[in-house]
Amino acid sequence: MRTVMHIIILLVLVLHVQQTVSNMVQCYSTFHLTDGTCSDIIWNVPLDDCCMNPVYGFQDEDGVCKSCRHASWTTWSPWGLCSVSCTKGVRQRRRACYGIGECPDPHLLGEIQTEPCEDQSCCPENGAWSEWSPWQPCSVTCEKGIKKRKRTCSNPPPKCGGVCHGNSEETENCDTGIVCPTHGGWSAWGNWGACAGTCEVEGFSPPQQERHRTCTNPPPSVVPRGSNCPDSSTDSQYCNGLPFCSVNGNWGAWSEASACSVTCGVGLQTQHRKCDNPAPKYGGQGCLGENTKKLLCTIPKNCPADGEWSEWTAWLDCISPNDRQITCKNRMGRRRRLRDCLGREYGGAFCNGDPVLFERCYDIEGCTAGPDQQIPRALWSEWSKWGYCKPDCGESSTQTRKRVCIPDISKYSDPNMELFAGNPNINCPFLADREEIRPCLNLPPC
């Protein structure tokens, strides 16, 4: 019996080790919501330990960075550049879903949105050059130089970013016929002379050494008279590198480990040491190796995860605030919509704001249209805005706009269509042209 118990215990330990190994991930202290990347790696730890902190990220066997937070959409990126110039194209914007689980999307907006655009209203037209200007004076007052003349891109000027091809400036050699004076120039410095001493006395200035040069490269001319060389013909400097005895550095003891960098989940501790046992001196070698090392530490406590609002629900039914009838009446009721605070765990902050939103409304559920009714007639709406291009790539993408049958609400005190709730029982006159579809041009290939 005892032998059987030993075998069972060994099997449980083996299964526990296999499960722990299979859940090991590379844990990072920072997950970037802007591009879905991880940084500041901590250690290889179990996934559950890493994700005790919802701001952390991790990589498992597939090598893709993943967030520990509750899954949510990022905000839409700015609209990209128009796909073509000088004609109509499309532009796109994107968003991404990061976190554990699936992102809710009640409005079915997707990850990419595409709409038409026009980069610029005209195409480049090149210009033409004006006539050359007269030659400018020679660039020197003696011997040979150059002269220049210019022209402008103005006959006609370019349009919409066009250019003129060719050079806007020409040069030509010129000769003044006058001899220039020769100014003196220094020759190269000679070699440094011997130092005034053979060693450096600690606490005093080092000995000096000198070098010399002559004004012969070239010498100044006599007729016409050239200028002498400026500054001094002698230079001096302190002697460097005179020997002191060198002392190589050696590490001191490691300091005590710092406190864990976090108060929950996985973090790091740090230890330091100094190169002062002894410190290097007089050209001695520094200490080899690192002066800092990091140790893994784990606080077995889940980190707070702040709550995040879900999307608003659709508006609920419009109801009367009292016992009076409001359906098909010029009397306002009230409706509401809800949202939930999701993902709050371990003492994280509550969502900021209200979970319920109220709004005034008119109830037109099942209302009929007629001259003696609150809704006198049914009529067709104006054209809606053009929708997004679908699909988001390829040559078959199109966009749509529609007209819908709506009630005449002119008899109501506040004729704002957004305040009306319910589906009236109305029929508009026959209209063949209710929907328009047009192609989206120059989308990227799928």
Side-chain angles (χ1 to χ4, degrees):
M1 183 66 179
R2 182 174 299 175
T3 302
V4 174
M5 288 298 297
H6 286 169
I7 294 173
I8 292 173
I9 292 172
L10 287 174
L11 288 174
V12 170
L13 289 175
V14 169
L15 290 174
H16 175 72
V17 170
Q18 290 179 344
Q19 183 179 5
T20 302
V21 171
S22 66
N23 289 334
M24 297 294 286
V25 296
Q26 288 186 347
C27 188
Y28 296 81
S29 64
T30 304
F31 179 83
H32 301 278
L33 288 173
T34 54
D35 58 3
T37 60
C38 293
S39 64
D40 302 322
I41 187 170
I42 297 177
W43 217 277
N44 283 354
V45 299
L47 174 60
D48 291 342
D49 287 357
C50 183
C51 284
M52 285 191 291
N53 193 326
V55 302
Y56 279 12
F58 65 91
Q59 283 185 352
D60 52 21
E61 294 178 353
D62 62 8
V64 178
C65 182
K66 300 174 184 177
S67 172
C68 285
R69 67 188 290 124
H70 183 76
S72 61
W73 288 107
T74 62
T75 57
W76 286 105
S77 67
W79 285 106
L81 298 177
C82 205
S83 59
V84 295
S85 299
C86 300
T87 185
K88 293 182 178 180
V90 294
R91 61 179 185 173
Q92 294 184 334
R93 64 179 182 177
R94 300 171 181 270
R95 66 177 181 174
C97 176
Y98 295 128
I100 299 174
E102 295 183 357
C103 286
D105 191 9
H107 303 299
L108 301 178
L109 297 179
E111 297 181 12
I112 302 176
Q113 290 184 344
T114 306
E115 69 176 12
C117 59
E118 188 175 66
D119 188 40
Q120 59 186 45
S121 59
C122 61
C123 293
E125 294 181 18
N126 291 336
W129 293 107
S130 66
E131 295 294 327
W132 286 104
S133 67
W135 288 102
Q136 297 176 0
C138 196
S139 61
V140 297
T141 57
C142 59
E143 296 186 358
K144 296 180 180 180
I146 60 171
K147 59 183 179 180
K148 299 179 181 180
R149 64 176 182 176
K150 300 181 179 181
R151 59 181 179 176
T152 60
C153 184
S154 59
N155 187 34
K159 297 180 180 179
C160 297
V163 296
C164 287
H165 295 290
N167 297 322
S168 62
E169 186 176 281
E170 277 188 350
T171 60
E172 188 176 89
N173 295 328
C174 54
D175 191 344
T176 64
I178 300 173
V179 177
C180 292
T182 301
H183 301 300
W186 290 113
S187 64
W189 286 104
N191 294 328
W192 287 104
C195 289
T198 58
C199 62
E200 180 180 346
V201 179
E202 189 174 11
F204 294 88
S205 297
Q208 290 188 332
Q209 58 185 166
E210 292 184 348
R211 63 178 180 175
H212 301 275
R213 60 182 177 176
T214 59
C215 189
T216 56
N217 187 33
S221 61
V222 178
V223 179
R225 181 61 183 171
S227 300
N228 292 324
C229 295
D231 301 323
S232 174
S233 62
T234 302
D235 186 22
S236 63
Q237 70 175 11
Y238 290 112
C239 294
N240 293 321
L242 297 179
F244 281 113
C245 293
S246 62
V247 178
N248 294 332
N250 189 50
W251 289 113
W254 286 104
S255 67
E256 292 186 4
S258 66
C260 194
S261 61
V262 297
T263 59
C264 55
V266 179
L268 294 172
Q269 292 176 290
T270 305
Q271 285 185 290
H272 301 278
R273 61 179 177 176
K274 295 181 180 179
C275 187
D276 60 357
N277 186 34
K281 194 175 183 181
Y282 304 136
Q285 294 183 354
C287 297
L288 300 177
E290 301 294 331
N291 66 346
T292 302
K293 67 179 179 180
K294 296 185 180 297
L295 306 172
L296 180 68
C297 57
T298 301
I299 306 298
K301 174 185 175 183
N302 286 291
C303 298
D306 296 340
E308 295 183 5
W309 286 119
S310 67
E311 298 290 338
W312 285 107
T313 64
W315 286 106
L316 300 178
D317 293 341
C318 185
I319 61 175
S320 174
N322 46 45
D323 294 333
R324 301 182 69 187
Q325 176 65 252
I326 64 170
T327 305
C328 305
K329 303 291 184 181
N330 189 16
R331 299 193 189 107
M332 299 201 82
R334 189 173 74 162
R335 60 181 176 178
R336 61 178 179 150
R337 60 178 178 177
L338 311 173
R339 60 179 176 177
D340 294 323
C341 186
L342 303 177
R344 178 181 174 273
E345 293 181 302
Y346 307 112
F350 287 96
C351 299
N352 186 23
D354 296 323
V356 182
L357 182 64
F358 292 95
E359 182 181 74
R360 298 182 308 155
C361 57
Y362 290 109
D363 182 16
I364 58 172
E365 178 65 34
C367 298
T368 58
D372 57 344
Q373 301 295 323
Q374 185 64 30
I375 300 175
R377 58 176 180 155
L379 47 84
W380 290 103
S381 69
E382 298 294 329
W383 285 108
S384 66
K385 291 183 179 180
W386 286 101
Y388 292 114
C389 296
K390 294 296 179 184
D392 299 307
C393 58
E395 298 180 354
S396 62
S397 180
T398 60
Q399 59 180 165
T400 305
R401 66 175 183 175
K402 298 180 180 181
R403 299 175 68 179
V404 295
C405 184
I406 60 174
D408 180 358
I409 57 174
S410 58
K411 286 186 176 183
Y412 283 86
S413 301
D414 190 352
N416 180 359
M417 198 64 197
E418 293 182 356
L419 299 178
F420 286 76
N423 297 310
N425 184 16
I426 58 174
N427 292 302
C428 289
F430 175 77
L431 180 66
D433 191 15
R434 303 180 191 179
E435 181 176 276
E436 286 188 349
I437 300 174
R438 68 181 182 184
C440 289
L441 305 178
N442 300 307
L443 269 75
C446 294

